[in-house]
Amino acid sequence: MKVTLINGSPEQGTFDAYLAQLVRALTQAGHSVTQIDLRDVSLRYCVGCFGCWVKTPGQCVVQDASLEIDRAVINADFVLWAAPLKMGFPSALLKTAIDKHLPLIHPYMEVAYGEAHHLRRYPTSPRLGLLLENEADTDARDLEIVSDIFCRTAINFKSRLEFALTTATPVEELAQRITLRNPQPLPLPKRLPPTQGTRISPPARLTVFNGSPRGRKGNTPLMLEQFMQGFGGPAGIYHLNRLKETERMLQAFANAECILLGFPLYTDAMPGMVKRFIEALEPLADRASNPPLGFLVQSGFPEGLHSRYVERYLEKLAARLHSPYLGTIVKGGGEGTRVMPPNMNQALFSNLRSLGAGLAAQGRFDPAVLKEIAKPEQYPWYLGPVFQVFLRLPVAHTYFDNMLKENGAFEQRFDRPFAE
C-alpha cells in the first residue's frame, strides 16, 4: 500500500526518531512510504481566496509545496497526519498543510451525517490517522478535543479518522494499525452544546485580534467591528496576517485588560496563521494570570454546530493561559457577509453590538444573544431531505458559479488535477 506521512514537527528530535522507526517498519513490510517534512518545504498560508475553487479548480493558485503535498495525499491509500502538540493542538506547520488540502474537495455542498458538508472532488479518499507527541502538560481532555476536531476534518475530506495516537504507542502497533485489512474508524464525535463563559468586572478597555487570513478584507473583522461599536469604550484591533508585527501583538496581549480573538473556521479549527500566534503566546502561559479571553468563530457552513469542536479547544486554551474564559461567539453562514445588502446583516450586527454593550456594562457575553447568533445550531432531521434537494438546484451554487464564470473556469469546476 502507499502511505503518505506528513511530518509537522518544527525541529528534529525525538518525534523524527519515532517516525524513522515507523517508516522502517512499513518499508520492511513491503509498503511504499512518502514522507514530507513540512519544515523543509516552502508552504504559504491559505488566505481564503477560494482560488483553488474558482480560478484553478482543484489546486492552489500559489505555486508552493501544497501542490506536491496534495498530490501525495489524494493518491495515497493511507495518510498519517503527524505533529507534536503545541499549546494543546498539533503544530502550526501541520495545520497550515491541512488548510492547503482544501482544493481536494469541492465548494458545492451536500447533506452528510445530517449536516452540510462539501462534495467530494475525487472518487476515493485515503484512510486517515493522527499521530501526536505530548507536551509536558498534555492531559486526556487535550487528546479528546484534538481527536474530535480531526474526526470532523476527516469527514469534510470525505474520509474517516481511524485513530489518534501518541508516540507512547509502540511503533509496531502503529504500523499494524496503518496496514489493517478491515479498519474501523473512530466513532463520530457527539454533538456539543455551547460552552459556558464566566462573568468578570466590566472592562474599560478592549483589545481585539482579527485572525482572518484576508486581513481587513475578511468577514471576521466586519463582525468584530460591530462588537467593538457596541462595547463603546477604547478598543484597538490587531490583524494577525501582519506576520512581521507578531512581537508587537504579543506585547498588546500581555498588556490588555480584556481580549476578543476572532477567526474564520478553517478545516474545523483555527487557520494556520492563528495557530502560529497561539504558539507564540506560550511564554505567557507561565504568568499567574492573563487578561480575560473571549472568542468569535464564524464559518461558511450554515449550522453553528461545526464550530463547537474548536470552541472546546478555545475554552481549554483560556485555562492554559490562566485567563478567565468569557465564551465563544459562533456564527454559521458567515461567508459573504461583507457583500450582503445591509438589511440582510441587520439582525446579526445588532446582536453583535448587544454583546459588546453587555460586556462593557455587565462583564459577560449574554447567553441568549449568543444562542440567537448561532442559529441555526442544526437543522431538524425532517429538513434534511429538503435541504438535500435544494443543494442540487443551480441556485444553491450561485455564489461560487458566478466567480467561476467570471474567471473563465466554470467548465473546469470538477477538474481533478492530481488524479493518477
Side-chain angles (χ1 to χ4, degrees):
M1 65 184 293
K2 295 167 65 175
V3 179
T4 293
L5 194 163
I6 302 179
N7 175 16
S9 179
E11 61 275 321
Q12 288 187 334
T14 56
F15 192 73
D16 275 43
Y18 182 97
L19 292 180
Q21 294 180 53
L22 175 62
V23 170
R24 187 159 49 249
L26 290 170
T27 54
Q28 287 176 352
H31 303 287
S32 172
V33 181
T34 298
Q35 178 171 329
I36 300 173
D37 297 319
L38 297 177
R39 63 176 178 268
D40 295 334
V41 302
S42 174
L43 190 63
R44 300 275 295 276
Y45 290 112
C46 174
V47 296
C49 69
F50 292 149
C52 63
W53 283 345
V54 301
K55 290 184 178 180
T56 55
Q59 62 182 5
C60 184
V61 295
V62 176
Q63 297 295 303
D64 66 1
S66 67
L67 305 183
E68 169 199 350
I69 294 169
D70 287 350
R71 184 182 297 276
V73 165
I74 200 60
N75 290 296
D77 299 302
F78 191 98
V79 171
L80 183 66
W81 290 322
L85 291 170
K86 301 285 186 181
M87 293 292 283
F89 197 85
S91 71
L93 268 178
L94 182 64
K95 187 62 181 66
T96 300
I98 292 175
D99 290 349
K100 299 294 285 278
H101 291 351
L102 194 65
L104 300 179
I105 56 176
H106 204 278
Y108 297 166
M109 288 191 177
E110 64 176 347
V111 175
Y113 306 102
E115 307 165 1
H117 288 278
H118 289 285
L119 286 176
R120 66 168 61 248
R121 182 176 293 276
Y122 291 85
T124 60
S125 299
R127 297 163 49 214
L128 295 169
L130 178 65
L131 175 68
L132 306 169
E133 183 177 60
N134 288 345
E135 298 173 277
D137 62 349
T138 299
D139 59 23
R141 182 63 174 146
D142 292 318
L143 297 175
E144 178 185 25
I145 288 169
V146 171
S147 176
D148 282 355
I149 289 173
F150 276 75
C151 277
R152 300 283 302 179
T153 304
I155 292 171
N156 276 312
F157 285 126
K158 321 314 295 181
S159 185
R160 293 285 296 275
L161 191 72
E162 294 183 10
F163 58 77
L165 299 173
T166 73
T167 51
T169 306
V171 169
E172 296 76 13
E173 180 182 334
L174 178 58
Q176 289 174 1
R177 293 289 293 270
I178 291 172
T179 57
L180 280 176
R181 290 184 178 273
N182 298 298
Q184 294 296 318
L186 292 176
L188 293 177
K190 63 182 180 180
R191 299 272 173 83
L192 297 173
T195 57
Q196 300 298 312
T198 190
R199 186 193 294 266
I200 61 172
S201 297
R205 293 182 298 109
L206 180 66
T207 301
V208 178
F209 293 93
N210 167 31
S212 171
R214 300 175 187 172
R216 293 180 181 273
K217 298 180 181 179
N219 297 295
T220 302
L222 199 63
M223 299 180 195
L224 293 173
E225 287 162 7
Q226 295 297 315
F227 186 98
M228 293 164 69
Q229 283 186 26
F231 183 79
I237 186 166
Y238 297 85
H239 303 281
L240 298 187
N241 70 331
R242 297 178 178 175
L243 303 179
K244 294 181 180 179
E245 299 179 15
T246 299
E247 287 301 321
R248 186 169 72 90
M249 295 179 196
L250 294 177
Q251 194 61 49
F253 188 103
N255 296 335
E257 181 183 356
C258 184
I259 292 172
L260 178 64
L261 167 61
F263 57 82
L265 190 72
Y266 264 45
T267 58
D268 299 273
M270 74 298 291
M273 67 175 57
V274 174
K275 182 56 181 19
R276 172 185 179 272
F277 178 71
I278 290 172
E279 290 180 15
L281 294 173
E282 185 172 11
L284 297 181
D286 293 332
R287 301 203 312 180
S289 62
N290 277 303
L293 264 174
F295 302 91
L296 182 150
V297 182
Q298 60 89 10
S299 79
F301 292 113
E303 312 104 322
L305 65 90
H306 292 271
S307 298
R308 296 300 180 192
Y309 301 88
V310 72
E311 180 180 356
R312 287 308 187 280
Y313 169 74
L314 298 174
E315 180 184 39
K316 187 70 186 291
L317 174 63
R320 183 170 264 108
L321 287 167
H322 309 290
S323 291
Y325 174 66
L326 295 171
T328 299
I329 306 165
V330 164
K331 172 68 178 100
E335 179 55 43
T337 298
R338 184 168 288 280
V339 298
M340 289 181 183
N343 64 304
M344 294 187 67
N345 290 323
Q346 186 174 351
L348 169 63
F349 288 177
S350 176
N351 282 325
L352 288 168
R353 291 192 297 269
S354 176
L355 280 180
L359 178 63
Q362 302 169 4
R364 67 165 191 157
F365 290 173
D366 186 329
V369 180
L370 290 175
K371 183 177 180 180
E372 191 65 28
I373 293 175
K375 288 181 178 178
E377 182 71 25
Q378 64 186 80
Y379 287 104
W381 66 268
Y382 55 81
L383 287 183
V386 177
F387 192 37
Q388 186 73 285
V389 170
F390 170 74
L391 289 175
R392 294 174 182 170
L393 300 176
V395 67
H397 309 146
T398 299
Y399 182 69
F400 288 107
D401 280 353
N402 286 344
M403 289 188 280
L404 281 158
K405 292 173 182 176
E406 288 173 6
N407 295 318
F410 184 74
E411 298 302 323
Q412 291 77 46
R413 65 194 183 281
F414 292 110
D415 277 6
R416 297 167 179 166
F418 303 126
E420 293 181 356

